[in-house]
Amino acid sequence: MRVVLISTYELGRQSFGLASPAAWLRARGHEVYTADLAVALLPPRVLREADCVAFYLPMHTATRLAVPLIEQVRERNPAARVLAYGLYAPLNEGYLRELGVSAIIGGEFEAALVEAVEGGGAGLVSLDRLPFQVPDRTTMPPLDRYAALCIDGEKRLVGYTEASRGCKHLCRHCPVVPVYNGAFRIVPAEIVLADIARQVAVGALHITFGDPDFFNGPTHAQRLMEAFHLRFPGVTYDVTIKVEHLLRHRDLLSALVRTGCLFVTTAVESTEDAVLEKLDKGHTRAGFLEALSLVRAAGLHLSPTFVPFTPWTTLEGFRDLLQVVLEQELIDTVAPVQLALRLLIPSGSRILGLS
């Protein structure tokens, strides 16, 4: 069967969400075309000849960008089955079905996607423990088409992988929660390292671990850090870690530095304790500042993300956020868009449980 996997937007990195299911589908004998529309065009011929077209929807923006493309597929190839998978697929189920999407898959999507392609039923959300396969990146655009890391005058190609999926925590605003509901799944270290090895072989000198939280499984993370550094001693990496985990696992910060970690992204969201309590983030303003101090003392950079505009944001609170960014010398490590984001409330969000 001819299957087209489409990604529309993934923050400037090569798509794990295309490469992983591509490996599963090719192992079953399907002809797979991977299209990352953030960096490449999709030939009309490919759509016309497809039996199935599956859209990877890991983010709200990716979903918005996919909508007109889904309509184009329905017009140009009415016989093709249109599928959607990824975190935001089940969060937008009703809307996607109105557009003609026949199967919608969230959570651990690879096996369910194969089943849907082959005409079987596919549950809306699967949390099955999968026998992970090494992602197949052979038809992906080269890494030099994506964002690079510039450090000390050197430009490094950046690869991307995931060591775990889902999250143990239930932050009220997080889109992971309606799908995983506190569950998380570990990807075996040998699969992660094999995926990294393939990217290093084509020039990657830095790896982004895209886990929702790298320290959800601290033992797994520590073993992976050590194995990574032993196998790729000249390669650096970055991770995402919750403020709460930076404080709880402060003893692991030195290991991050020793094994090549350059910076940590963390979802601070707000500097107002009242807002953090509403979001059920598990940390306070003081906790964020303590974590920042610990990370810096260990020799790492911290890259905070924020959701500054919520129903509870005050003018004073927003001014305070800007003042903290200034006083803590974070201007260079906070992306400007982080000071303009509004709270997104998807279907199933725990925010809806607040009065």
Side-chain angles (χ1 to χ4, degrees), residues 7-334:
S7 171
T8 59
Y9 176 73
E10 289 194 60
L11 293 172
R13 59 200 181 202
Q14 194 184 68
S15 177
F16 183 94
L18 298 188
S20 182
W24 285 69
L25 288 162
R26 286 169 180 151
R28 295 280 295 181
H30 298 290
E31 180 183 339
V32 181
Y33 186 98
T34 55
D36 188 345
L37 302 188
V39 297
L41 297 176
L42 177 61
R45 171 190 58 81
V46 173
L47 282 184
R48 288 195 304 267
E49 297 176 355
D51 298 305
C52 280
V53 180
F55 288 86
Y56 179 51
L57 308 178
M59 301 175 64
H60 175 74
T61 302
T63 309
R64 292 288 296 270
L65 291 171
V67 168
L69 297 170
I70 293 172
E71 295 169 342
Q72 288 180 31
V73 173
R74 303 302 298 148
E75 291 173 3
R76 296 179 183 180
N77 186 351
R81 295 179 62 236
V82 181
L83 318 175
Y85 66 101
L87 192 63
Y88 273 79
L91 300 185
N92 292 280
E93 179 195 6
Y95 184 45
L96 292 170
R97 292 203 186 278
E98 289 176 5
L99 295 173
V101 177
S102 62
I104 294 168
I105 304 159
E108 303 300 282
F109 54 77
E110 288 89 348
L113 180 60
V114 170
E115 186 179 359
V117 164
E118 295 178 348
L124 195 64
V125 173
S126 171
L127 297 181
D128 293 346
R129 297 182 185 276
L130 301 181
F132 287 101
Q133 299 187 32
V134 181
D136 185 345
R137 302 176 181 272
T138 54
T139 58
M140 299 293 296
L143 293 179
D144 61 11
R145 299 290 301 278
Y146 296 92
L149 175 69
C150 296
I151 180 169
D152 297 330
E154 177 191 4
K155 183 177 180 180
R156 301 183 187 179
L157 294 185
V158 176
Y160 175 90
T161 195
E162 296 177 4
S164 65
R165 298 198 293 208
C167 186
K168 286 181 175 180
H169 298 273
L170 300 173
C171 303
R172 282 197 181 99
H173 65 302
C174 180
V176 175
V177 174
V179 174
Y180 281 90
N181 195 31
F184 90 110
R185 297 289 179 259
I186 283 175
V187 182
E190 61 270 20
I191 298 292
V192 180
L193 293 170
D195 185 30
I196 294 171
R198 291 181 179 182
Q199 296 177 79
V200 171
V202 295
L205 291 174
H206 182 89
I207 299 293
T208 290
F209 286 92
D211 310 39
D213 194 304
F214 192 64
F215 277 178
N216 260 321
T219 301
H220 174 62
Q222 189 170 14
R223 289 172 179 166
L224 189 56
M225 288 188 288
E226 300 294 348
F228 172 91
H229 184 57
L230 183 64
R231 188 164 176 183
F232 314 106
V235 181
T236 55
Y237 67 96
D238 68 271
V239 295
T240 296
I241 301 175
K242 193 173 163 62
V243 170
E244 182 180 353
H245 285 170
L246 291 172
L247 297 173
R248 183 182 304 164
H249 304 296
R250 62 187 70 196
D251 56 312
L252 294 180
L253 297 180
S254 60
L256 284 170
V257 177
R258 179 175 49 77
T259 56
C261 185
L262 295 181
F263 63 94
V264 175
T265 300
T266 191
V268 177
E269 314 302 37
S270 176
T271 54
E272 295 185 81
D273 283 338
V275 175
L276 291 169
E277 184 178 358
K278 295 282 190 185
L279 301 182
D280 200 10
K281 277 299 299 177
H283 70 260
T284 62
R285 172 197 176 99
F288 157 53
L289 295 176
E290 182 184 1
L292 174 61
S293 177
L294 288 170
V295 167
R296 284 176 166 171
L300 290 164
H301 292 282
L302 192 70
S303 179
T305 62
F306 299 102
V307 182
F309 294 102
T310 74
W312 314 285
T313 300
T314 63
L315 177 59
E316 293 77 11
F318 184 64
R319 292 177 62 186
D320 176 65
L321 169 62
L322 300 180
Q323 191 68 31
V324 169
V325 170
L326 175 65
E327 291 177 350
Q328 297 298 322
E329 300 181 342
L330 289 168
I331 291 174
D332 289 340
T333 59
V334 174

